[in-house]
Amino acid sequence: MMNMSSDVGAESHFILDADEDEIVNISTISSANQNVNNTTSTPPTLPNPTASDSYQLASEVQVSFAPQIHNHGNHKSDSHSGHRGAPRSPTRGSGQGFKENSPLLGPKSDFEHSGEWNQFPDDPAFEESVLAAELAIEANCFPERIYQGSSGSYFVKSTEGKIIAVFKPKDEEPYGHLNPKWTKWMHKLCCPCCFGRSCLVPNQGYLSEAGASLVDQKLGLNVVPKTKVVRLSSETFNYSAIDRAKARTKRNIYKKVPIVGKHFNRIGLPPKTGSFQLFVNGFKDADYWLRRFDNEALPESTAKKFQNLFERVVVLDYIIRNTDRGNDNWLIKYEPASAKAPSSSQTDEDSEWSMVENPEISVAAIDNGLAFPFKHPDEWRAYPYHWAWLPQAKVPFSQEIQDLLLGQLSDMNFVQDLCDDLYDLFKNDKGFDRHTFEKQMSVMRGQILNLTQALKDGRSPVQLVQMPVVTVERNKSAVGRTRADSEIFTQSFSHRAPFFSWC
Ligand SMILES: Nc1ncnc2c1ncn2[C@@H]1O[C@H](COP(=O)(O)OP(=O)(O)OP(=O)(O)O)[C@@H](O)[C@H]1O
Ligand SMILES: [Mg+2]
């Protein structure tokens, strides 16, 4: 079943055909992947990074599988129904039980969702953090703009003034209509084609942030601080003069003629939809620590741990096709070895060693708002992954990472579940377009296919990013959350070298 694709400048592709009589398993998929490579006219060796062409694929492969019926793990419908009663804060709930002087849900929102807001029954700890932020705002402890950022991003505080999260409202994103940075406004106005990323869905950075966290959790990578879509309002956010005037007028009317004011749907400033990412303490930009590590080598066990964490960032970025992973957009926490007091029961020899604590290292992949492209970046703006220049990127993927991921990523049901969960998240944006979403998932499936092959072959991150990019498109009749008995996927290779073009 040959078919032609127009998106990726593809030379050829084939269809993965699902047959309902057979159950998919890892070996089926793995042999399918094997076939993919066997059908290429050139074996799946890495292309010369400087060459502009790559291998051709000229055959068709059929993969048989019947998707198993999954109940989608953390799917929300059940958990919502049993959730606790009255909303505890103004942005919580569907507008019932409000305080009259608090910001309430208006009829319109950036994120079309009929359900309850800021409630995360699957994740009480996260919900507590959001509640802490809401209570702090009520107590006039407002979020504070992060001045170095290119958009309206805010450090959200608790009532005690401690930073607990980073909130990025949709309408203050680099190209959102209320972006507070005038340079971005000038870009948008004067030269829209030279700025921004044409491969990304505009003004959905907050979804990309939350989507990255979803992928991170689903795969068990645990390198992205938890991020979800939340609604908050605060005087310190950037509002239009009209919104501020309306809020002022309503407040005045309410004070002077309470009987009229009671009829207002909302008194305060309108809540903004955005990504709410938990703040991680004690971390510094990766750049800072990487320079230090150049001069002082890490102890062996810490270096191994760091390599493992680094690979997790690589996996995340590659799957979501992050276009903005500079070394300032991931953080490292490093606590050098410290001495601790020996316990009284230890002998002298024991205590010598036990007095030295191993250095602790952790990483956090933040600022994931420029990912999930609907097509691969073009040749002249490749948006390379900056970690690919680090020495750690030359080391083949570890056995631990292979063990963690290969089972999941080789399972087409798992991958489809991941796409379905992202669909549930993305579909609520008022600019959501199903066709564009399917394209985003085609890119992601292609990235997963390459990554799976790289893990199986024991390649390194730098070899991974040199693989020709691929998209795996789902049959048009099977879009959305519905799972057909048989699924057809079309795989298209691009013939350019994606990484060593200039950035
Ligand atoms: N979850 C987090 N935990 C700790 N610190 C964070 C977190 N998120 C962001 N920061 C800090 O805030 C800074 C700005 O964050 P971020 O890069 O996400 O914002 P931004 O507005 O997208 O900025 P830019 O566009 O310049 O990249 C980061 O460099 C980091 O120091
Ligand atoms: Mg940043």
Side-chain angles (χ1 to χ4, degrees):
M1 278 180 277
M2 292 300 291
N3 207 336
M4 292 307 293
S5 163
S6 54
D7 284 334
V8 203
E11 292 84 43
S12 55
H13 65 270
F14 63 93
I15 294 172
L16 302 179
D17 198 350
D19 181 330
E20 60 191 78
D21 293 326
E22 288 186 43
I23 300 292
V24 69
N25 59 31
I26 294 164
S27 59
T28 311
I29 303 293
S30 102
S31 65
N33 287 341
Q34 207 58 51
N35 284 343
V36 169
N37 293 311
N38 291 342
T39 57
T40 57
S41 56
T42 313
T45 50
L46 292 167
N48 178 340
T50 52
S52 59
D53 60 347
S54 109
Y55 52 77
Q56 298 262 321
L57 178 77
S59 180
E60 71 184 60
V61 172
Q62 297 208 338
V63 179
S64 300
F65 79 102
Q68 291 143 350
I69 305 304
H70 280 205
N71 64 352
H72 297 284
N74 57 355
H75 196 38
K76 297 94 196 162
S77 51
D78 290 344
S79 42
H80 264 178
S81 56
H83 192 52
R84 61 191 109 161
R88 293 175 302 178
S89 91
T91 39
R92 226 156 261 271
S94 50
Q96 309 299 313
F98 53 85
K99 284 200 278 175
E100 278 164 339
N101 62 351
S102 303
L104 296 167
L105 284 185
K108 272 198 287 175
S109 90
D110 289 331
F111 197 71
E112 301 297 344
H113 197 291
S114 56
E116 296 146 333
W117 278 106
N118 297 356
Q119 297 191 353
F120 303 98
D122 300 335
D123 194 342
F126 189 89
E127 186 167 312
E128 281 307 309
S129 298
V130 180
L131 179 64
E134 292 169 322
L135 295 175
I137 292 170
E138 279 181 13
N140 292 344
C141 191
F142 296 114
E144 195 180 302
R145 165 124 23 106
I146 306 177
Y147 279 94
Q148 76 256 39
S150 56
S151 53
S153 307
Y154 297 84
F155 284 134
V156 176
K157 299 179 183 175
S158 66
T159 314
E160 296 77 42
K162 190 171 163 257
I163 299 176
I164 53 172
V166 171
F167 183 64
K168 300 188 180 181
K170 172 182 165 77
D171 66 7
E172 298 189 35
E173 285 179 8
Y175 298 96
H177 70 284
L178 285 174
N179 181 278
K181 305 283 164 86
W182 68 270
T183 43
K184 285 283 160 186
W185 182 80
M186 287 293 282
H187 289 171
K188 194 167 65 173
L189 198 73
C190 305
C191 202
C193 51
C194 299
F195 296 95
R197 284 161 164 79
S198 61
C199 53
L200 297 178
V201 185
N203 203 196
Q204 289 189 357
Y206 76 110
L207 289 182
S208 174
E209 295 272 3
S213 177
L214 190 155
V215 170
D216 173 77
Q217 292 293 305
K218 186 104 180 162
L219 293 173
L221 298 172
N222 295 323
V223 287
V224 179
K226 281 265 185 74
T227 315
K228 294 178 194 284
V229 175
V230 156
R231 273 161 73 79
L232 291 178
S233 65
S234 160
E235 271 176 31
T236 48
F237 295 163
N238 197 32
Y239 284 100
S240 67
I242 295 180
D243 274 339
R244 286 195 187 275
K246 268 199 229 163
R248 238 185 347 259
T249 312
K250 284 181 178 176
R251 221 174 282 129
N252 287 341
I253 294 176
Y254 183 76
K255 264 193 222 147
K256 287 182 186 148
V257 201
I259 200 142
V260 178
K262 271 188 190 146
H263 293 283
F264 291 140
N265 192 27
R266 176 184 59 233
I267 303 285
L269 289 160
K272 292 190 180 220
T273 302
S275 58
F276 184 100
Q277 180 173 79
L278 298 184
F279 187 83
V280 288
N281 286 297
F283 285 71
K284 285 193 162 73
D285 286 2
D287 206 32
Y288 171 90
W289 281 116
L290 291 168
R291 281 171 205 274
R292 296 275 297 266
F293 300 159
D294 277 347
N295 300 326
E296 324 159 12
L298 288 169
E300 202 183 317
S301 65
T302 315
K304 193 162 174 248
K305 170 98 191 284
F306 181 58
Q307 182 68 30
N308 181 289
L309 295 170
F310 171 79
E311 288 173 22
R312 288 166 187 251
V313 175
V314 168
V315 165
L316 172 83
D317 281 350
Y318 194 78
I319 290 181
I320 66 175
R321 197 6 179 146
N322 196 341
T323 67
D324 192 31
R325 181 66 76 216
N327 291 337
D328 54 339
N329 279 341
W330 58 294
L331 309 176
I332 298 177
K333 181 175 182 177
Y334 180 62
E335 288 165 329
S338 58
K340 66 175 180 185
S343 76
S344 51
S345 60
Q346 281 167 334
T347 64
D348 280 355
E349 205 180 324
D350 280 348
S351 63
E352 255 175 45
W353 284 109
S354 61
M355 276 164 66
V356 181
E357 280 190 336
N358 260 341
E360 277 298 317
I361 195 155
S362 339
V363 307
I366 58 154
D367 207 359
N368 301 305
L370 297 171
F372 299 99
F374 59 86
K375 60 176 186 176
H376 285 283
D378 52 38
E379 278 165 43
W380 65 285
R381 296 184 77 187
Y383 305 118
Y385 310 94
H386 285 270
W387 40 248
W389 279 278
L390 297 175
Q392 287 80 3
K394 298 199 179 90
V395 180
F397 281 107
S398 61
Q399 189 61 47
E400 282 113 299
I401 286 291
Q402 292 176 25
D403 293 345
L404 175 69
L405 296 171
L406 267 177
Q408 307 186 80
L409 297 180
S410 316
D411 178 352
M412 287 174 101
N413 278 302
F414 177 87
V415 175
Q416 193 50 47
D417 257 3
L418 182 63
C419 296
D420 290 345
D421 288 350
L422 287 169
Y423 173 76
D424 280 345
L425 172 69
F426 286 24
K427 72 174 189 221
N428 297 309
D429 185 85
K430 72 175 176 194
F432 177 77
D433 172 64
R434 183 177 266 192
H435 178 64
T436 311
F437 175 77
E438 284 303 323
K439 286 170 136 192
Q440 290 175 289
M441 294 303 100
S442 302
V443 172
M444 191 179 82
R445 279 192 212 97
Q447 296 291 93
I448 290 177
L449 191 67
N450 268 0
L451 176 65
T452 309
Q453 197 59 49
L455 289 171
K456 278 181 191 157
D457 295 349
R459 295 182 190 183
S460 64
V462 82
Q463 288 172 321
L464 170 67
V465 298
Q466 290 170 13
M467 290 171 81
V469 291
V470 57
T471 55
V472 178
E473 203 181 318
R474 194 177 174 201
N475 177 17
K476 301 235 168 8
S477 63
V479 294
R481 230 200 199 281
T482 49
R483 194 76 60 86
D485 282 347
S486 70
E487 308 248 38
I488 298 176
F489 294 91
T490 308
Q491 178 176 337
S492 317
F493 280 85
S494 169
H495 66 124
R496 66 195 160 73
F499 170 60
F500 283 99
S501 48
W502 65 290
C503 46

